[in-house]
Amino acid sequence: MLLEPLRIPEDAWSHGEVLAVLAVRDIGGLFRWISQLTGASQSRIGAAVGLEQGYVSRIMAGRKVTSIDVLERIADGFRMPDQARTTMGLASRQAAPPAAASSRRVPDAPPLQRTWRDDVRSAAELWRGDVNRRDVLRQVAFSSAGYTLPALRWFTAPDPAPVTQPGRSAVGQPEIDTIRAMTATYRQLDNQYGGGHARDTVARYLHQEVTPLLTDGRYDHATGQRLLSAAAELAQLAGWQAYDTAEHGIAQRYLTLALDFAHSAGDDGLGAEILAAMSHQATYLGHTATGLDLARAAGRTARRAGVPVLTAEAHVMEAHALAKANDERACAAALHQAEQALDRADRSSDPQWLSYFDEAYLSAKFGHCFHALGRNAHAERFAARSLRMDNRYVRGRAFNLALLASVHAQQGEPDRACAIGAEALTLTNQLRSARAVRYLRDLQAQLAPHRRLPAVLHFTGRVDATLGRRR
């Protein structure tokens, strides 16, 4: 299977021909050697290291790999021992404690012991590459295994080193407040217009404004932690935007670096929110086991942070993964725990980035769970309730309308589904959101058995005229 790790004997890495390839970073030669040793296809190699098959093919044909971030991903994907890593010019690994974020078996290779400065360098490279639209970055595919090491590092990494730096320019609370204010503005635009509206702008702001503060700023530990926390919040939003525009490999890189920043900042609340976002993405892409693990990691972190509303969020992410896995009993238990946690929550001290999580959002997640389980009556009730929402969340309303329409389609009510779907289409036309488009395309597919009905003909014609014909 593609998601199983490649089995490369550790002693194979000491062969002279392999060390010679690693010494000059001939990744094409490395991939060819791996293929010969294991019989792995280009797709299999790509899945192991989180790269698109086409990009693997170009590397094997002679394309050079110079990005440290990609080299690290390759080393981790192949589980290179220290000798191989250092030969390639990468940092060695150190063993981590055996504790894990969940009961599932973790990879044999322990996570890297990174410092916050390593994370800053990786983030600066990511943001610069994103702004410059580097092809290498866009060839990095989503991999469920790509979330294993960051989540494990979140729980097992030692306390971070002091976040202090004797840089050239003093960084204080005004600079941090500016990042948070910009993040709030970008988040509002994201909710109103979709992730594609300001994604490039957010990447440029991170590259041009936040990177210099992190790399050249002068700050003490307390200020440095607040700076990293603010940067993590904005990076998490950038990852969410990339997820919304179906750039899933890029989204994964943003979210994992945001999680590392939150760890160095000592911000458990934000860490729980990022883990929940990672779970959301994994479940959406069909990696339900990974989504479940990440949701439970988010719940554990939320309880450590002492924020009941984050605990509620983690439970609904857990429930959604369980619903996708068709585990109705466990899903119902998780939904009940989410309700209980939200009932206990004191919302007066919530951070601004948690304001979206309310009764309407919770109802929508309940609706998605029951819809996935085929419990249409329950799904309809909660989907309808989710529309009693803040109208500033235009994308969320489009999602919730599409959900309700899909429920009616599943119930054999195509006329009602088309009427509600038309409302979702009107809103989606105002958005730059691949997820909103996907939900409408899914609705189109559900209505296919009724394609000759006038209402369905009219609706599908409008969808094709607005979004373009499906290929």
Side-chain angles (χ1 to χ4, degrees), residues 450-468:
H450 310 283
R451 65 175 66 88
R452 288 185 171 81
L453 292 178
V456 176
L457 279 170
H458 179 68
F459 173 67
T460 55
R462 279 193 60 193
V463 171
D464 287 339
T466 303
L467 305 180

Side-chain angles (χ1 to χ4, degrees), residues 95-311:
S102 72
S103 60
R104 294 181 70 214
R105 185 179 180 276
V106 300
D108 297 331
L112 289 170
Q113 295 286 12
R114 296 169 62 92
T115 69
W116 67 268
R117 286 189 171 86
D118 293 327
D119 296 332
V120 166
R121 282 191 290 270
S122 293
E125 181 179 356
L126 171 66
W127 302 339
R128 181 176 63 252
D130 197 11
V131 167
N132 295 331
R133 306 192 67 81
R134 289 177 58 196
D135 180 61
V136 62
L137 187 60
R138 278 157 176 75
Q139 299 299 329
V140 174
F142 176 88
S143 164
S144 60
Y147 275 151
T148 302
L149 287 176
L152 183 61
R153 195 158 56 227
W154 173 258
F155 286 105
T156 64
D159 291 339
V163 185
T164 180
Q165 183 166 270
R168 291 176 294 182
S169 304
V171 177
Q173 196 58 43
E175 287 77 17
I176 296 168
D177 289 342
T178 299
I179 296 173
R180 294 198 184 280
M182 294 300 293
T183 303
T185 299
Y186 291 137
R187 183 175 288 111
Q188 181 181 352
L189 292 171
D190 176 65
N191 288 323
Q192 190 169 356
Y193 299 109
H197 177 75
R199 199 185 93 65
D200 290 345
T201 305
V202 172
R204 281 195 299 273
Y205 185 83
L206 284 165
H207 171 55
Q208 295 173 357
E209 303 296 335
V210 178
T211 293
L213 295 176
L214 291 168
T215 59
D216 299 327
R218 183 172 68 253
Y219 38 84
D220 58 20
H221 178 60
T223 303
Q225 285 195 307
R226 292 195 299 274
L227 175 61
L228 278 182
S229 179
E233 185 183 341
L234 184 53
Q236 189 266 347
L237 175 61
W240 191 257
Q241 290 174 318
Y243 165 29
D244 194 42
T245 54
E247 298 173 284
H248 291 293
I250 297 175
Q252 185 172 41
R253 293 298 302 125
Y254 270 101
L255 291 175
T256 53
L257 282 168
L259 186 67
D260 288 334
F261 274 18
H263 178 267
S264 294
D267 194 335
D268 280 345
L270 185 56
E273 174 73 0
I274 295 166
L275 285 163
M278 293 159 69
S279 170
H280 199 298
Q281 183 192 23
T283 298
Y284 175 84
L285 293 174
H287 301 278
T288 53
T290 299
L292 182 60
D293 279 352
L294 291 167
R296 287 172 175 166
R300 176 177 164 185
T301 305
R303 289 188 291 274
R304 189 167 72 189
V307 184
V309 69
L310 280 171
T311 303

Side-chain angles (χ1 to χ4, degrees), residues 269 305-310 344-355:
V307 184
V309 69
L310 280 171
R344 292 194 303 268
D346 174 11
R347 306 304 303 272
S348 62
S349 58
D350 281 355
Q352 191 276 336
W353 44 259
L354 253 182
S355 60

